[in-house]
């Protein structure tokens, strides 16, 4: 499927239109405990986007965080209405709307938008990555000078010891690490040269799909310990880096402590 300029502009406009909902009043509830929150803004943004995206591309099905129906075939949208909900609830201004279009198993278009900073990251396969219309590229920093974005496996805390072991070794060899609370924004920051490495034990497709195409189009690498072909019908262990060399070193380190995926879903 070809991503035309007109198509991209329609999707971007739909994503930007979510700002009013996000900045309005909302209530909070728990999905599965205090660590997994959902707000009325999450559900409102998702339904708003579902309606708009269906008009833009009627034949595509819809995978959203707040009502996941997993498939791995055809053409479909992957939507996180508010990535970084805990940040959102606390007013940290580090949350984003994330929309990806997947065609035959591959992310071909992605938009990630932070309505607080008005930063909008966008990329289409083969057309480069952009931040507010300006071309972006990953940095050229080596591993010793790299900044690592990471997080513990929040919804499955039993994986924390493996995460700790990985981070201890990575931290000894890189510059520093950051835990910002929004995977989509962290991955886009990597694409924009603000960091060089990314590791998270367990991410769902709506967390990374849009940023995945943005990283690749910015010259970076994204994949998993199982191989570089990512799936959209289950969670994955996600790795990303600004260069092939840094990616290989990151992957080798992670595989020491996580030789195979410790979960099926």
């Amino acid at each position: 499927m070809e991503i035309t300029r007109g198509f991209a502009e329609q999707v971007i406009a739909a994503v930007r239109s979510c700002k009013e909902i996000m900045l309005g009043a909302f209530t909070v509830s728990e999905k599965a405990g205090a660590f997994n929150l959902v707000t009325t803004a999450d559900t409102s943004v998702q339904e708003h986007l579902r309606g708009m995206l269906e008009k833009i591309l009627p034949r595509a099905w819809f995978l959203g965080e707040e009502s996941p129906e997993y498939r791995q075939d055809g053409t479909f949208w992957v939507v996180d209405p508010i990535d970084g909900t805990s940040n959102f609830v606390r007013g940290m201004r580090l949350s984003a709307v994330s929309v990806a279009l997947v065609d035959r198993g591959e992310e071909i278009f992605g938009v990630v938008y932070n309505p607080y900073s008005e930063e909008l990251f966008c990329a289409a396969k083969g057309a480069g990555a952009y931040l507010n219309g300006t071309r972006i590229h990953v940095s050229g920093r080596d591993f010793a000078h790299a900044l690592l974005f990471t997080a513990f496996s929040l919804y499955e805390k039993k994986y924390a010891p493996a995460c700790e072991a990985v981070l201890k070794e990575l931290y000894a060899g890189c510059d520093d690490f950051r835990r910002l609370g929004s995977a989509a924004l962290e991955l886009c920051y990597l694409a924009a040269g603000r960091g060089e490495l990314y590791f998270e034990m367990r991410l769902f497709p709506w967390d990374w799909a849009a940023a995945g195409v943005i990283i690749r189009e910015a010259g970076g690498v994204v994949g998993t310990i199982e191989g570089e072909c990512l799936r959209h019908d289950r969670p994955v262990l996600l790795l990303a880096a600004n260069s092939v060399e840094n990616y290989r070193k990151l992957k080798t380190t992670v595989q020491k402590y996580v030789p195979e995926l410790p979960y099926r879903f």
Side-chain angles (χ1 to χ4, degrees), residues 195-260:
E196 289 69 41
L197 305 170
Y198 185 94
F199 157 67
E200 190 157 351
M201 177 70 82
R202 188 170 176 267
L203 280 184
F204 288 87
W206 44 81
D207 297 314
W208 61 264
V213 64
I214 293 169
I215 286 179
R216 293 188 184 104
E217 289 300 314
V221 185
V222 60
T224 181
I225 57 170
E226 297 179 306
E228 289 11 285
C229 183
L230 292 160
R231 298 186 62 88
H232 308 92
D233 57 352
R234 60 173 173 79
V236 300
L237 184 159
L238 198 79
L239 305 172
N242 63 319
S243 68
V244 172
E245 181 180 359
N246 282 350
Y247 182 84
R248 287 174 177 166
K249 188 168 184 177
L250 173 66
K251 184 174 180 177
T252 297
T253 302
V254 173
Q255 285 180 316
K256 281 186 184 180
Y257 305 98
V258 192
E260 60 184 21

Side-chain angles (χ1 to χ4, degrees), residues 9-87:
E9 288 175 348
Q10 287 184 74
V11 178
I12 288 170
V15 172
R16 285 192 181 277
S17 71
C18 298
K19 178 176 181 175
E20 184 177 353
I21 301 173
M22 287 183 68
L23 300 188
F26 62 87
T27 58
V28 185
S29 57
E30 297 180 2
K31 286 195 270 189
F35 54 84
N36 192 354
L37 304 178
V38 63
T39 73
T40 50
D42 288 87
T43 53
S44 294
V45 168
Q46 177 162 302
E47 290 312 303
H48 174 73
L49 281 172
R50 185 195 297 267
M52 297 195 76
L53 295 174
E54 284 179 352
K55 293 177 182 177
I56 295 170
L57 191 63
R59 67 183 177 86
W61 58 277
F62 187 93
L63 172 59
E65 178 181 8
E66 303 311 326
S67 56
E69 298 176 10
Y70 294 101
R71 287 168 54 183
Q72 182 70 0
D73 62 301
T75 303
F76 57 97
W77 299 102
V78 183
V79 172
D80 194 335
I82 302 179
D83 183 65
T85 299
S86 290
N87 288 352

